Amino acid sequence: MIDFFKYGETIKNKRVPSKSFIEMYPVSVNSKEKCPLVLVIPGGGYNHLANHEGEGIAKWLNTQGIQAAVFYYQLQPVCLQLLLDQLNDCMNSLKDQFHLMGLEIDQIGMIGFSAGGHLAALASTKNKRKPDFLILGYPVVTLEKPFTHEGSQTKVLGELSSDQDRLKYSPDQWVSLETPPVFLWHTANDKSVSVENSLLFAQQLSKQNIPFEFHVFPEGRHGLGLAREVPIVAQWTILLKKWLEKIIGKEFEYE
C-alpha cells in the first residue's frame, strides 16, 4: 500500500525515493463544494524525480482550484509492474474515499511528464482502475526503436530487453475503448523524447475514437514543465484549462 501525507509535512528523499509515497496538496473549499483532483507524476528518466514537474505542477493546480497529489515513485530499484499496481491502489483509495476528501468521484484525473507521462499513460491504458481523464506533457510512449527514450527504456527493462517486454510497456499498444479522454502536448524539436512518441499515442487514440486534444509547439527543449520561460509553449496551461472546462465542467479565470 502507499502512504498518504498531508501538505506541508517534511518528507525526505523526494528526488530519488526508495519507497513510493503520495503527498497531498489540498485546496480550501466550501464544505458543500466538491473539487476535482489530479494525481501528478513527475518525470526524470526513471533516474530521479523532477520537482518542477511534481510539486511545481501541484501548486499550480491548486491556484486553479484543483486538489492535487504527487506520486513520488520508487526508483531504487524500478519495477514498472509494482508502480502500476501502486497507482491502481491509489486510484482505488481516491475513489473509495472521495466523499471524505471533498472530491467529485468522476473527476479524478492524472497528469504525467516525460517518464512520468509514460507511467501515467500505462496506468490509463493497462490498469483496471483508470483515471477519469489524462494529461500528458512530452511523454515517453514507445519503448521500441527508433523513437524510444533509450535511458528510460534501459532503466526499466535493462540492457537486453525482449520485443515482448518492450511492447508490454509501450502505452500506445494498449489504447482501448476504456482509455479516458486525453490532453497531450509536445514540442516539435524535443531532442530527448521525440515528438513521434506523442504522435504514436494520438494515432492510437484516434483509431479507438477516444476524445483527445493534441498540441505540438514548434520549439522548446525537453522538460519545460509549466514552460514560463517560453511564452509560446506556456500557452499549454491556458489550452488545458479550456479543455478541462469541457471535461469536468469547471470554469476557470484567465489572466
Side-chain angles (χ1 to χ4, degrees):
M1 296 298 291
I2 303 177
D3 295 322
F4 282 80
F5 292 82
K6 294 183 179 180
Y7 174 78
E9 185 167 343
T10 300
I11 303 169
K12 296 180 180 179
N13 204 16
K14 291 184 178 180
R15 182 173 171 82
V16 188
S18 57
K19 180 181 179 181
S20 299
F21 61 90
I22 299 287
E23 185 172 16
M24 304 300 297
Y25 288 77
V27 293
S28 298
V29 296
N30 184 296
S31 59
K32 295 182 180 179
E33 183 181 355
K34 294 183 179 179
C35 281
L37 179 139
V38 175
L39 181 62
V40 183
I41 308 182
Y46 289 109
N47 181 61
H48 67 277
L49 301 183
N51 185 62
H52 71 290
E53 295 170 350
E55 183 178 43
I57 298 299
K59 289 184 174 179
W60 176 79
L61 288 166
N62 284 171
T63 66
Q64 306 304 314
I66 297 175
Q67 307 254 30
V70 179
F71 179 44
Y72 291 94
Y73 48 98
Q74 177 179 319
L75 293 174
Q76 295 179 340
V78 178
C79 174
L80 275 181
Q81 191 54 56
L82 172 65
L83 299 183
L84 288 175
D85 290 344
Q86 290 175 338
L87 280 172
N88 201 70
D89 289 344
C90 179
M91 291 303 300
N92 278 331
S93 294
L94 291 170
K95 292 286 189 178
D96 291 344
Q97 301 179 41
F98 75 96
H99 56 292
L100 300 176
M101 303 173 67
L103 304 178
E104 288 283 4
I105 190 171
D106 59 351
Q107 296 184 5
I108 299 176
M110 195 175 286
I111 183 170
F113 297 85
S114 193
H118 174 250
L119 192 52
L122 278 175
S124 300
T125 52
K126 288 177 69 74
N127 276 0
K128 182 176 181 180
R129 202 67 181 261
K130 299 174 175 61
D132 298 306
F133 56 91
L134 174 64
I135 306 160
L136 298 175
Y138 42 88
V140 175
V141 169
T142 180
L143 295 186
E144 296 186 285
K145 293 183 178 182
F147 301 123
T148 188
H149 179 251
E150 293 191 7
S152 295
Q153 180 201 29
T154 301
K155 193 71 176 178
V156 297
L157 296 181
E159 296 283 353
L160 301 174
S161 58
S162 66
D163 291 343
Q164 182 178 5
D165 281 343
R166 288 193 294 272
L167 287 173
K168 181 179 179 180
Y169 292 112
S170 292
D172 58 310
Q173 301 295 317
W174 298 96
V175 175
S176 70
L177 296 177
E178 286 73 45
T179 303
V182 179
F183 179 94
L184 177 65
W185 72 273
H186 217 119
T187 55
N189 65 345
D190 188 324
K191 292 181 173 57
S192 296
V193 176
S194 170
V195 69
E196 294 290 343
N197 282 262
S198 289
L199 290 167
L200 286 169
F201 200 60
Q203 184 180 48
Q204 295 304 315
L205 293 170
S206 179
K207 286 182 178 180
Q208 294 292 337
N209 293 316
I210 303 301
F212 72 96
E213 184 168 317
F214 180 26
H215 297 278
V216 180
F217 299 97
E219 295 183 359
R221 64 171 175 81
H222 185 71
L224 284 172
L226 292 172
R228 286 171 173 150
E229 70 272 33
V230 187
I232 190 171
V233 183
Q235 295 178 85
W236 79 264
T237 59
I238 298 173
L239 296 166
L240 173 62
K241 288 194 290 185
K242 292 182 180 297
W243 181 78
L244 284 173
E245 286 181 340
K246 295 179 288 186
I247 297 296
I248 63 177
K250 177 179 173 60
E251 293 186 2
F252 294 94
E253 294 183 0
Y254 297 87
E255 298 179 357

